[in-house]
Amino acid sequence: MIKQQLVHAEFSGCVVTTSRAQLTPPGQRRANAYTAESGNRPISQTSPKDECDGQWSCSGVIVDRNLGVVICQGSIFFPFLKKTGNGLAASDHPILSADDFHPDLSIRVECPLEPKINTKIGTGICNEVLGHRPELENVPVSTPQSERMQVQAQLLMVLPCPEFQNAFSRLFRKENGWVFSSEEEKTEYGEFQKDLAYLHWFAVLHLQSPLTKTPHTMAIMDSTRLVKGSTVFACGSPFGSFYPDIFLNTISKGVLSNTAGDRNAVLLTDARCLPGSEGGGIYLFEQGVLHLVGIIVAPLCWKTNEWVGLTLACSISHIIENIIKVPHKAGVAVKSKLENLQLGNNVLANLQRGPGPAEHLMKAAVLVDSGQAWGSGALLNRKVVLTCRHVVRDLSKVLVKIQRPRVASGQHHTYKRFQTVTGRVVFSTSESSPYDIAVVELDEDLPGVFEPVLASGYSAGEDVLIVGFGAFGESCGPSVTSGVLSAVISVGNVPVMLQTSCAVHGGSSGGPLFSARSGELLGIVASNTRDNTTGATYPHLNFSIPMTVLQTAIQRYRQSGELRSFGELNKAGHKVQNVWRLQRSPEKVFRSKL
């Protein structure tokens, strides 16, 4: 069912290209079918002498194919703005209409042709579209990527989302070293593309040619119904208009890692996206329906030169709300079109959702604050936290912060503030031990704690989740990232290291690693990987200490309060030490990023 529903995401995605009219290649100024054989290739994006003489593109979402409504990121329009003022970044700045941009601005939207629906299976694509051919025997061929069309579009408005901008400015402070474009992008793209002041602007377009006569409106989920850890899908076109033959409407999968701001205006997901996916959609499958939940704002981000590996998006329901507020500010023509579009009718605010699959797991994650830095920890019970030695440093006491359970506030969901408890460091492994572990005992019990079940075995390839406070600390609570257990590294048939593909960032150390299927606690996150030659970090290549290594010590500590069994972690042999040094011989010791 999910695969069938994802077809709607693919056929709602598009590429939006802006340029001056004289730069539009002949034969592409009117709607036309675009095939691989036609020879009509998009212009490669290069950095022009004057930005308004160039061509800019991003992904977009067709929220209504029947009415021809497209929403995309607004940054590709700013190179064509007649004049720029210092007030554009202000959250209360009025909307920009087509009159605010150069009159020769050309907008081209490239999208798939309308799918043919097989009425027998409801949302499936019929065999004619799948291209089943006798000469291929039983091997179906997917919809040819060349079956696309290009349509000219009219700009209705470019408007800001102040709720997103307010949360974004608090969460991603420049002094913390946040960057949303690589050095290559800064060279290739113009100033408007790399300026953070334009990330919260979005464009509303109206296609000049209808895409379908059949009513087709994308279901939109109100952001207040979003739950961390929910499976989401991202649909965007990497590299924009550079090569849509291959990259148009690429699907990736992940989880909703975190939310922030008023009614979850800012969304973060570990679904992997690339430059050009800006403006694409974030989707969530619920109750048999695929819902649009967000618009991609930035596919890549770095913090203090460390790649974070998360995609930043804006809640689509907030964008719709701001569009609905526009008519009293807009001209008569735009007001009339907006009223005809009837945006907002498809926003499902009353959708009932139960607890997310990772919601109870997040209760086991705490923030461990050593004063100079923070890390994460895993609650073993009401009074004991397991974390990493390098998180607590050489301190005897640390602060442990836990976010209290979610409560209802009116029709919206929110979290109580953090509860802070002092913790005593009752054990830390020695610096020479390969196992980077510390045990913290809390001065007071924490009620309502989820006590995880400790894993007794591992299966490479199983789905896993990591919960922790990496990158954001307590700014928006614990983050959830998904992946698989990539490898189980053993010494003498005993697991001594777990490798996963989850995104792990600075501040994730000490966080719990869970099995997505059983919810068992598999391990404690110790590090990700850093290339000492280039300085690059790899968040999707990380390592955890298996719970089976700690299980005996934890059981004895729970039963009698005895800590001596943890001391066995300091007696690990050279083979285990070499594994955690990521090398076969001990001559050179490479220190991980975390």
Side-chain angles (χ1 to χ4, degrees):
M1 178 63 75
I2 293 180
K3 292 181 180 179
Q4 295 172 356
Q5 287 289 342
L6 283 177
V7 171
H8 293 287
E10 295 182 67
F11 282 91
S12 294
C14 62
V15 169
V16 180
T17 304
T18 57
S19 63
R20 301 187 76 164
Q22 62 267 28
L23 291 182
T24 304
Q28 293 187 12
R29 298 195 180 190
R30 293 179 293 180
N32 65 296
Y34 185 97
T35 63
E37 292 78 14
S38 67
N40 293 331
R41 299 291 182 183
I43 301 175
S44 298
Q45 291 185 353
T46 56
S47 182
K49 294 181 179 179
D50 192 338
E51 286 187 317
C52 66
D53 291 331
Q55 175 175 276
W56 311 100
S57 68
C58 69
S59 301
V61 177
I62 307 170
V63 294
D64 194 316
R65 287 183 70 95
N66 180 243
L67 298 176
V69 185
V70 176
I71 295 178
C72 68
Q73 198 184 42
S75 61
I76 64 171
F77 291 87
F78 284 106
F80 307 94
L81 196 62
K82 287 180 181 178
K83 58 180 179 180
T84 58
N86 294 327
L88 282 179
S91 60
D92 58 349
H93 189 81
I95 64 166
L96 299 173
S97 67
D99 294 334
D100 294 307
F101 297 88
H102 287 294
D104 58 353
L105 170 63
S106 174
I107 307 170
R108 189 171 71 250
V109 174
E110 187 167 348
C111 62
L113 294 176
E114 181 183 4
K116 298 179 181 180
I117 305 299
N118 187 335
T119 55
K120 293 183 180 180
I121 58 175
T123 56
I125 302 302
C126 71
N127 287 338
E128 182 181 349
V129 175
L130 288 175
H132 183 77
R133 302 171 186 173
E135 62 271 22
L136 295 179
E137 298 180 347
N138 294 323
V139 182
V141 179
S142 61
T143 307
Q145 288 296 312
S146 59
E147 292 189 1
R148 303 187 304 277
M149 64 185 302
Q150 290 188 5
V151 181
Q152 291 295 117
Q154 174 192 8
L155 176 64
L156 295 184
M157 71 186 77
V158 180
L159 78 165
C161 180
E163 298 86 358
F164 175 88
Q165 174 62 5
N166 291 338
F168 175 86
S169 60
R170 291 195 300 268
L171 190 61
F172 299 97
R173 297 181 180 276
K174 290 185 177 180
E175 57 265 30
N176 292 335
W178 285 100
V179 177
F180 291 87
S181 57
S182 64
E183 291 300 322
E184 292 79 5
E185 289 178 275
K186 291 178 182 179
T187 302
E188 183 177 2
Y189 296 101
E191 292 295 327
F192 289 106
Q193 292 274 1
K194 66 188 181 188
D195 195 334
L196 300 187
Y198 300 95
L199 289 180
H200 68 296
W201 287 79
F202 301 90
V204 183
L205 312 177
H206 187 227
L207 302 180
Q208 295 181 357
S209 301
L211 298 179
T212 179
K213 295 181 180 180
T214 304
H216 179 273
T217 303
M218 175 62 65
I220 293 175
M221 183 181 292
D222 187 283
S223 61
T224 60
R225 305 301 169 190
L226 298 177
V227 178
K228 289 183 189 180
S230 299
T231 299
V232 295
F233 300 89
C235 182
S237 300
F239 316 117
S241 64
F242 175 65
Y243 200 7
D245 303 62
I246 295 177
F247 299 115
L248 182 67
N249 297 337
T250 299
I251 298 286
S252 62
K253 180 182 178 181
V255 297
L256 184 64
S257 298
N258 218 323
T259 62
D262 175 43
R263 295 172 295 129
N264 300 331
V266 173
L267 311 179
L268 289 152
T269 173
D270 60 1
R272 302 185 190 182
C273 299
L274 291 173
S277 299
E278 299 91 338
I282 303 294
Y283 300 87
L284 188 149
F285 187 74
E286 184 75 21
Q287 297 181 10
V289 178
L290 191 72
H291 298 83
L292 178 65
V293 299
I295 298 294
I296 299 171
V297 171
L300 300 174
C301 55
W302 290 260
K303 183 182 181 184
T304 56
N305 297 320
E306 180 181 350
W307 177 36
V308 173
L310 296 179
T311 294
L312 174 68
C314 176
S315 153
I316 181 64
S317 60
H318 282 80
I319 297 173
I320 297 293
E321 285 179 10
N322 284 287
I323 295 173
I324 293 174
K325 296 175 185 176
V326 161
H328 72 279
K329 304 177 184 178
V332 177
V334 173
K335 180 178 180 180
S336 176
K337 286 191 175 183
L338 286 176
E339 290 175 347
N340 291 335
L341 296 178
Q342 297 182 334
L343 290 176
N345 290 350
N346 54 335
V347 178
L348 305 178
N350 297 321
L351 184 67
Q352 297 299 319
R353 302 197 67 205
E359 194 157 8
H360 69 290
L361 302 180
M362 287 189 288
K363 297 176 183 178
V366 297
L367 184 146
V368 180
D369 188 350
S370 64
Q372 297 178 333
W374 79 81
S376 301
L379 276 168
L380 296 181
N381 56 38
R382 299 172 132 202
K383 210 163 184 175
V384 178
V385 172
L386 204 59
T387 185
C388 288
R389 176 189 63 241
H390 74 263
V391 171
V392 300
R393 301 172 182 267
D394 296 322
L395 300 175
S396 60
K397 288 189 177 183
V398 292
L399 295 180
V400 174
K401 301 180 180 181
I402 181 171
Q403 200 172 37
R404 302 314 302 158
R406 195 171 69 173
V407 296
S409 176
Q411 63 174 342
H412 305 307
H413 294 284
T414 183
Y415 280 89
K416 292 181 180 179
R417 297 181 64 86
F418 278 84
Q419 178 181 348
T420 302
V421 178
T422 302
R424 294 179 295 108
V425 181
V426 295
F427 175 81
S428 289
T429 51
S430 64
E431 287 286 344
S432 60
S433 173
Y435 295 121
D436 188 353
I437 285 292
V439 180
V440 177
E441 197 171 278
L442 304 180
D443 286 348
E444 58 184 277
D445 289 358
L446 293 176
V449 167
F450 164 74
E451 295 190 17
V453 176
L454 307 186
S456 57
Y458 310 99
S459 299
E462 69 173 306
D463 293 334
V464 294
L465 299 169
I466 285 178
V467 185
F469 291 82
F472 304 105
E474 59 184 292
S475 299
C476 54
S479 297
V480 184
T481 55
S482 61
V484 298
L485 186 58
S486 305
V488 180
I489 297 89
S490 299
V491 173
N493 295 322
V494 176
V496 297
M497 173 191 281
L498 304 179
Q499 178 186 328
T500 86
S501 62
C502 302
V504 165
H505 326 107
S508 298
S509 294
L513 166 67
F514 291 106
S515 165
R517 179 184 57 82
S518 67
E520 291 181 331
L521 179 61
L522 302 181
I524 300 298
V525 177
S527 70
N528 60 11
T529 307
R530 180 180 184 180
D531 186 330
N532 282 347
T533 303
T534 64
T537 57
Y538 303 100
H540 298 288
L541 179 60
N542 51 79
F543 309 101
S544 296
I545 301 170
M547 290 309 299
T548 49
V549 171
L550 310 170
Q551 202 163 39
T552 300
I554 291 173
Q555 288 175 347
R556 289 181 180 175
Y557 179 63
R558 281 174 169 176
Q559 293 170 358
S560 62
E562 177 190 326
L563 289 167
R564 285 183 299 173
S565 295
F566 283 103
E568 296 298 317
L569 299 174
N570 294 325
K571 301 177 182 179
H574 291 296
K575 290 184 179 180
V576 178
Q577 292 177 352
N578 290 341
V579 166
W580 278 98
R581 287 168 177 159
L582 306 184
Q583 61 185 36
R584 291 185 173 179
S585 58
E587 283 82 7
K588 296 181 180 179
V589 178
F590 293 92
R591 300 181 66 85
S592 78
K593 177 63 176 177
L594 295 184

